[in-house]
Amino acid sequence: MRAGRRIFAIGDIHGRLDLLDLLLEQIANHAAQHPMPDNGLVFLGDYIDRGPDSRGVIDRLIALPRVFAGWELHFLRGNHDNAALEFIKNPGLYTVWRSHGAAQTLISYGVLPPRFEKQSEFEQARDDFVRVVPRSHFNFLSQLKYFHAEDDYLFVHAGIRPGIALADQLPEDMLWIREDFLLHRKRFEKVIVHGHTPAPSPIVLSNRICVDTGAHATGQLTALILDSEGRSFLTTGKGAQRNNLASPRFRREAASS
């Protein structure tokens, strides 16, 4: 990373607003204690599903440009975020989205999930979902990017297809790929920073860095810090899940924004 530039890359949030608030507080404190002129936040996708407050997470992310004024923010698309958009277009896809934690997302918006395997139930849930989702939330999800490239790094949700130029990567691979990418040991054009495949702790290899630490289940939401001095990490730790903590500062600032 070039001198004076610092990036915080945040792994899969999956509806854990409590952990997001804690991590944002840590990021703000780190930046205050170690001033740098040029800061950026990159979110690696999968903001919704599984955890209890998908709606709250999207609300918080939409408010961040005001909270982190002067910072450069990049929001990437995850397969879960994309699944919600696909469900809106084709409610029959609920049978796929359901296995990814769709019910928790619908409930967070006050929508009753389908109770039976019937197209009419899927359509009713879709119609209810569309009616209550704020336009700002739909715009946020629709405008998510598939990747962000900077210096020697490429930020993407799942990974990329080995042997394919970055310019020719398919969106489906960037959202879903696993084994072909994870088992690849040769260098890519850039070091890939990704989420999608959870691990007990961040994985740092010569060709990729995984920042998904299974926040929805472990209480550990992680951010990678990249600057000219190297790489380090911030994490909420497992105690946040037991105590259901949330940062008063970010609750207060988001409410006033």
Side-chain angles (χ1 to χ4, degrees), residues 24-36:
L24 290 173
E25 186 79 30
Q26 292 185 40
I27 289 171
N29 290 339
H30 181 92
Q33 294 166 10
H34 308 279
M36 198 164 287

Side-chain angles (χ1 to χ4, degrees), residues 173-222:
D173 283 332
M174 291 186 280
L175 295 178
W176 288 98
I177 197 168
R178 278 207 166 99
E179 283 77 10
D180 289 349
F181 166 69
L182 299 174
L183 298 177
H184 188 72
R185 291 293 177 259
K186 296 182 180 179
R187 294 295 299 267
F188 298 103
E189 293 178 46
K190 295 177 182 288
V191 176
I192 310 301
V193 179
H194 67 98
H196 187 56
T197 302
S201 59
I203 296 173
V204 180
L205 301 176
S206 61
N207 62 350
R208 66 179 180 89
I209 303 172
C210 178
V211 197
D212 183 3
T213 47
H216 76 281
T218 65
Q220 184 175 343
L221 180 63
T222 299

Side-chain angles (χ1 to χ4, degrees), residues 39 58 225:
N39 292 284
I58 302 301
I225 308 173

Side-chain angles (χ1 to χ4, degrees), residues 21-200:
D21 281 344
L22 286 171
L23 188 60
L24 290 173
E25 186 79 30
Q26 292 185 40
I27 289 171
N29 290 339
H30 181 92
Q33 294 166 10
H34 308 279
M36 198 164 287
D38 190 6
N39 292 284
L41 290 171
V42 178
F43 292 86
L44 297 173
D46 278 4
Y47 313 113
I48 65 172
D49 295 348
R50 295 181 174 160
D53 199 356
S54 293
R55 178 172 186 156
V57 167
I58 302 301
D59 270 333
R60 188 71 80 248
L61 296 178
I62 290 173
L64 285 189
R66 293 185 289 273
V67 178
F68 286 88
W71 288 42
E72 186 177 299
L73 275 64
H74 299 276
F75 300 100
L76 305 187
R77 181 182 301 244
N79 58 303
H80 287 255
D81 316 308
N82 198 66
L85 295 173
E86 293 298 318
F87 167 68
I88 290 174
K89 292 187 292 186
N90 180 2
L93 292 176
Y94 184 77
T95 56
V96 177
W97 187 29
R98 176 176 53 202
S99 64
H100 301 150
Q104 291 92 327
T105 296
L106 293 178
I107 291 170
S108 78
Y109 283 92
V111 174
L112 182 67
R115 295 169 294 174
F116 305 106
E117 293 288 324
K118 296 172 60 177
Q119 181 67 18
S120 60
E121 290 268 333
F122 303 150
E123 291 175 356
Q124 183 63 58
R126 187 274 309 274
D127 292 345
D128 292 342
F129 188 51
V130 169
R131 187 176 64 254
V132 301
V133 171
R135 173 57 56 177
S136 61
H137 287 213
F138 180 76
N139 290 342
F140 174 84
L141 292 171
S142 300
Q143 294 168 12
L144 295 172
K145 304 190 302 181
Y146 287 100
F147 66 91
H148 171 66
E150 186 162 345
D151 292 348
D152 296 328
Y153 297 93
L154 180 80
F155 303 87
V156 65
H157 176 64
I160 62 173
R161 176 73 56 183
I164 305 296
L166 296 182
D168 298 324
Q169 293 290 325
L170 297 176
E172 182 177 1
D173 283 332
M174 291 186 280
L175 295 178
W176 288 98
I177 197 168
R178 278 207 166 99
E179 283 77 10
D180 289 349
F181 166 69
L182 299 174
L183 298 177
H184 188 72
R185 291 293 177 259
K186 296 182 180 179
R187 294 295 299 267
F188 298 103
E189 293 178 46
K190 295 177 182 288
V191 176
I192 310 301
V193 179
H194 67 98
H196 187 56
T197 302

